[in-house]
Amino acid sequence: MAIKAFQNYATLTRSPLVLAPVIESFFFALERQERSILLSYLVLPIVLHAPSRKFLENARSTSSLITFCKNKDFLVGLSARVERWKSVTGIAIQNSVSCNHLEVKEDLSIAAGLVANEVEGLMPKEMKAAKNLAKLMSPYSVPAVYRILGVGRL
């Protein structure tokens, strides 16, 4: 019985509908830039990974993407995690766009509406980590972020 309850919990907490506010929080905090939709595929693999989430929850204004990358535990298996979460991310973004929480622009940047800031998700720690991740990524271009993190392809 306990194993079945755990499986149901995992299914519910990994639903694109539950995870959509995490991605929305990321884009609300991210400075708008060309092709920022590609950054969405990094959010869930980084934020849902417990060691990197703990770092991001406690990130300060002096933290940067470079300091994040100094801990190799955050980057180990990142490419595989990106691949594993790709379909969930796509569905979550599609849902957010359909609900008018996010808007995809012509240059493939994403604009977040005011609704994204007001959303109270089921995962407040993950939402805070996503906002802090956006602050770490904002100074860099999309290709630079992928290079720094060592993710070769989507």
Side-chain angles (χ1 to χ4, degrees):
M1 182 70 168
I3 292 175
K4 189 170 186 173
F6 180 75
Q7 289 170 338
N8 292 337
Y9 175 78
T11 300
L12 290 174
T13 57
R14 300 306 184 230
S15 164
L17 298 176
V18 172
L19 295 172
V22 175
I23 295 173
E24 292 170 16
S25 296
F26 173 80
F27 282 110
F28 187 79
L30 184 72
E31 293 177 17
R32 193 165 157 225
Q33 57 181 294
E34 186 177 339
R35 297 181 290 178
S36 63
I37 193 169
L38 297 173
L39 294 177
S40 64
Y41 293 97
L42 297 172
V43 175
L44 296 180
I46 292 174
V47 169
L48 296 178
H49 187 243
S52 57
R53 180 181 58 244
K54 287 178 185 174
F55 173 86
L56 291 169
E57 284 180 73
N58 300 318
R60 296 185 222 133
S61 59
T62 57
S63 300
S64 72
L65 195 57
I66 304 302
T67 58
F68 175 82
C69 291
K70 286 183 180 177
N71 188 333
K72 300 302 179 194
D73 291 338
F74 302 158
L75 303 178
V76 171
L78 181 59
S79 294
R81 285 183 277 149
V82 167
E83 190 63 35
R84 183 176 52 206
W85 287 103
K86 189 188 313 186
S87 63
V88 174
T89 299
I91 295 168
I93 288 183
Q94 185 178 18
N95 179 63
S96 295
V97 169
S98 297
C99 294
N100 295 320
H101 295 184
L102 298 177
E103 181 183 353
V104 180
K105 302 292 186 176
E106 287 182 21
D107 61 354
L108 297 180
S109 64
I110 292 190
L114 294 176
V115 178
N117 190 35
E118 300 167 1
V119 170
E120 289 195 26
L122 299 174
M123 308 179 108
K125 290 180 180 180
E126 288 79 359
M127 291 175 68
K128 180 180 179 184
K131 287 178 184 178
N132 287 340
L133 179 62
K135 291 174 186 173
L136 296 182
M137 289 183 176
S138 285
Y140 302 98
S141 68
V142 174
V145 169
Y146 272 83
R147 259 193 314 275
I148 291 169
L149 293 175
V151 178
R153 64 184 186 119
L154 261 176

